[in-house]
Amino acid sequence: MHEEVLARIADALDRLAPPPPPPADLEAHPAYVWRGHGLAPARVFDPLPIGILRGVDSQREALVGNLARLSQGHAAQDVLLWGARGTGKSALVKSAVAAVQAEGGRLALVEAVTTQLDTLPELFALLGTTDRPFAIFLDDLGFDGVGDARALRSLLQGGAEARPDNARLLVTSNRRHLVTRDIAEQASAINPRDSVDDGLALADRFGLSLGFHAVDQDTYVDIVRGYAETHGLSFDPAEAIGWATRRGSRSGRVAWQYVIDLAGRSGRNL
């Protein structure tokens, strides 16, 4: 009787806290998601074809070349993609990985949540059990103080739990140096220069830094054209410009939003 009670209690506990899912096969999927504990295959990995990303030619060439080297097991850099919102940083990361995969590369993408950076050593340990190359993607990362940035800095280089040789970080940020530069903080430091240098040290850990900037009108229209042609849509450049003007911004994101609206008005789905 006592054993039956214990068995029922154990069954109830299992239902309340089911065992974690089995670890994902590190060789089987093009992309994964890391949410702090456990690696799961990405449900959908369908990036834009890299050829339709306009206005980022030099950034595309540099990133794809770096990822191709990583995929081949050669020396490769951690990458910081910084700049204005909506300028294609995240889209380029995913499209570049897919482009390398399309050429037969073993490279896989791992998108990690930026709110649980303290779990990255656990991810690194997992990825270090295979020789498959991985691009670890941290999207829209930024720190309000240098103290929060020091942990990531040590994971990039020099720390006891630095990322393994078969993995490199791809980080997007709206801030060139990742850390907010607080004038008041600098003024209160014993040595203001030390405060500035400490904030810049994290960005310096990235061997490849790619800047993205607000596009001019011609480039914006060209971005719209690339999206529209890919989906068989006709568009009026003046209307596309008016769409951007009403939003106060010209960017790849605004261009894509215009194309979504255009497709909807045309009775199409994307």
Side-chain angles (χ1 to χ4, degrees), residues 1-9:
M1 184 66 176
H2 181 66
E3 292 179 354
E4 291 179 2
V5 172
L6 291 177
R8 288 199 300 271
I9 293 173

Side-chain angles (χ1 to χ4, degrees), residues 86-147:
T87 48
K89 301 184 294 294
S90 300
L92 181 59
V93 165
K94 296 175 183 178
S95 295
V97 170
V100 172
Q101 292 172 344
E103 294 295 322
R106 295 177 63 212
L107 180 68
L109 181 74
V110 177
E111 185 163 2
V113 294
T114 59
T115 55
Q116 298 189 30
L117 296 180
D118 60 320
T119 67
L120 285 181
E122 184 180 344
L123 172 61
F124 293 166
L126 177 60
L127 300 183
T129 62
T130 177
D131 65 351
R132 186 183 188 185
F134 292 92
I136 303 172
F137 180 33
L138 299 173
D139 194 22
D140 196 19
L141 185 64
F143 299 99
D144 292 328
V146 295

Side-chain angles (χ1 to χ4, degrees), residues 141-149 175 177-182 185:
L141 185 64
F143 299 99
D144 292 328
V146 295
D148 298 329
R175 305 168 183 169
H177 300 296
L178 289 166
V179 182
T180 300
R181 303 196 48 191
D182 190 336
E185 179 183 352

Side-chain angles (χ1 to χ4, degrees), residues 233-252:
L233 296 167
S234 298
F235 79 102
D236 177 3
E239 182 185 67
I241 293 169
W243 176 277
T245 300
R246 289 191 294 275
R247 280 151 185 77
S249 173
R250 290 190 299 261
S251 69

Side-chain angles (χ1 to χ4, degrees), residues 155-215:
L155 294 176
L156 281 164
Q157 291 180 7
E161 297 177 304
R163 47 107 183 99
D165 290 339
N166 63 323
R168 291 295 180 270
L169 268 67
L170 308 182
V171 174
T172 68
S173 178
N174 298 323
R175 305 168 183 169
R176 183 173 185 176
H177 300 296
L178 289 166
V179 182
T180 300
R181 303 196 48 191
D182 190 336
I183 294 176
E185 179 183 352
Q186 296 173 29
S188 64
I190 296 175
N191 186 335
R193 182 63 191 175
D194 288 346
S195 178
V196 174
D197 288 346
D198 206 16
L200 301 183
L202 175 57
D204 289 343
R205 288 292 196 274
F206 293 88
L208 181 58
S209 180
L210 303 175
F212 292 71
H213 309 284
V215 300

Side-chain angles (χ1 to χ4, degrees), residues 30 36-37 85 173 259 270:
H37 298 285
R85 294 181 181 276
S173 178
V259 171
L270 298 178

